[in-house]
Structure formats: structure tokens, C-alpha cells
Amino acid sequence: MGEYIFDPAETTIREYLLSVQDAPVVVNAPEVLPPKFVQLQKVGGNDALVTDRPMVTFICWDESRALAARFAELIRAHMRSCTELAEMPVYRVRSIGGPTYRPDPETKRDRYQFTLELQVRGRNFAP
């Protein structure tokens, strides 16, 4: 059957989110925080022979609690309707934890976070 390799989840999700909405998408929070952005953190997952199932936490920052909550819902809706990442099919998007208010302990900035598990097809490995 052959080997399969998997694209980095944070990279492919970042590219997808940048194509469907206007806010910055980062892996590490920048030194100077923009008013609104989403931060991605791969927090686990596993793979099978042909598919990868990364678990990713989405941390949605905005200028108020209400705006951060609304932004988290927008990002979650984009992800739940995602059918392809880096030209590979997304078979399933499963909620692990819904949007939860988690203000940043250092800056006290408002943010909501949620975690999704995606099931994404791998690429056929051909050395």
C-alpha cells in the first residue's frame, strides 16, 4: 500500500485561515500584539496509515471579551466548514472543547480558545 506523509497542521491551517478571513494567524504570539489575531497550537493527535488526526487549539484574541467570543465563533465556523487543507481532503472536524474564555495572564487581554481534531488525508510518499 505504501507510506504516507502528513503536512504540518499548524502550517496548513494557517494558510487556510488566511485565505478565508482577514485577521493575522500566528503560531507564536508576536512581541507586539495586534488588536485581533488567532494563535494556533498543535496539542496532540495521532495518525493512521493514510490519515492524520491533529488536535489543534485556536486562541482567538480581540479588543473585548464580546469581540473575542464572536471572533472565536467565526474561526470555529470556518474550520468546521473546511473540506481541504493544502489540497488534501479533510474528512472530519470534531470539537474537543468549545469556546472558553481564557484571558491572557500576563497582558490581561481578552481571548477565547477552543480545540478541534481534524482528520486529514496524507500524501503518498514516493522517495
Side-chain angles (χ1 to χ4, degrees):
M1 181 151 187
E3 276 296 312
Y4 286 78
I5 58 174
F6 307 106
D7 292 323
E10 292 164 330
T11 301
T12 59
I13 291 169
R14 180 179 182 276
E15 290 169 0
Y16 169 72
L17 286 175
L18 288 172
S19 75
V20 295
Q21 57 87 51
D22 295 329
V25 182
V26 301
V27 175
N28 297 313
E31 272 189 45
V32 177
L33 300 176
K36 175 180 183 174
F37 68 100
V38 60
Q39 183 179 357
L40 307 174
Q41 293 180 344
K42 184 176 178 192
V43 295
N46 58 41
D47 59 42
L49 180 63
V50 178
T51 60
D52 189 22
R53 292 189 354 207
M55 288 175 43
V56 178
T57 296
F58 298 76
I59 306 169
C60 301
W61 302 64
D62 212 328
E63 297 184 73
S64 72
R65 184 173 182 164
L67 290 173
R70 201 167 303 129
F71 183 44
E73 286 296 337
L74 173 72
I75 296 299
R76 187 166 74 140
H78 280 304
M79 291 307 305
R80 290 169 67 164
S81 64
C82 178
T83 59
E84 187 177 277
L85 290 173
E87 301 178 359
M88 299 307 296
V90 174
Y91 296 121
R92 187 174 94 177
V93 178
R94 184 170 71 104
S95 182
I96 302 299
T100 304
Y101 183 62
R102 305 283 293 196
D104 181 53
E106 291 180 27
T107 65
K108 308 298 186 225
R109 290 271 311 270
D110 292 305
R111 62 187 190 173
Y112 271 74
Q113 72 179 46
F114 61 92
T115 301
L116 299 175
E117 178 188 67
L118 295 91
Q119 185 177 12
V120 183
R121 184 171 180 85
R123 296 182 188 283
N124 199 347
F125 176 67

